[in-house]
Amino acid sequence: MNEQERIKYIKALSDNDLMRDINDDDIKFLIDIAGRLEKVANEFNPTYSEGQQKHLADAYKEVIK
């Protein structure tokens, strides 16, 4: 399964109180995703206008759907 499908799968487990079914590989995957998101956040340019920030936020939301 691709990253988006895996995120949705893990989220569904969490939403349905099935945390016990999340395995070590899922946790490593989530840590990797968190690390990549942190890199994006660190590279985020605080001088962007509010409109540019909204555009970027919308783009990231679309990617992680």
Side-chain angles (χ1 to χ4, degrees):
M1 88 179 66
N2 67 35
E3 284 185 344
Q4 288 181 333
E5 291 169 340
R6 191 165 185 188
I7 290 168
K8 288 179 183 179
Y9 168 76
I10 295 169
K11 184 177 182 320
L13 290 176
S14 175
D15 290 347
N16 292 297
D17 294 325
L18 297 172
M19 298 293 288
R20 66 184 176 280
D21 293 336
I22 295 176
N23 62 38
D24 289 342
D25 287 336
D26 293 332
I27 293 169
K28 289 176 187 174
F29 169 76
L30 292 173
I31 290 170
D32 177 61
I33 294 289
R36 291 175 13 207
L37 289 172
E38 181 181 26
K39 285 180 185 176
V40 169
N42 288 337
E43 293 175 8
F44 189 79
N45 184 343
T47 62
Y48 285 147
S49 71
E50 188 174 320
Q52 290 170 314
Q53 290 177 12
K54 182 180 179 337
H55 176 72
L56 287 172
D58 289 344
Y60 290 126
K61 286 180 192 173
E62 191 62 32
V63 168
I64 63 171
K65 268 190 190 177

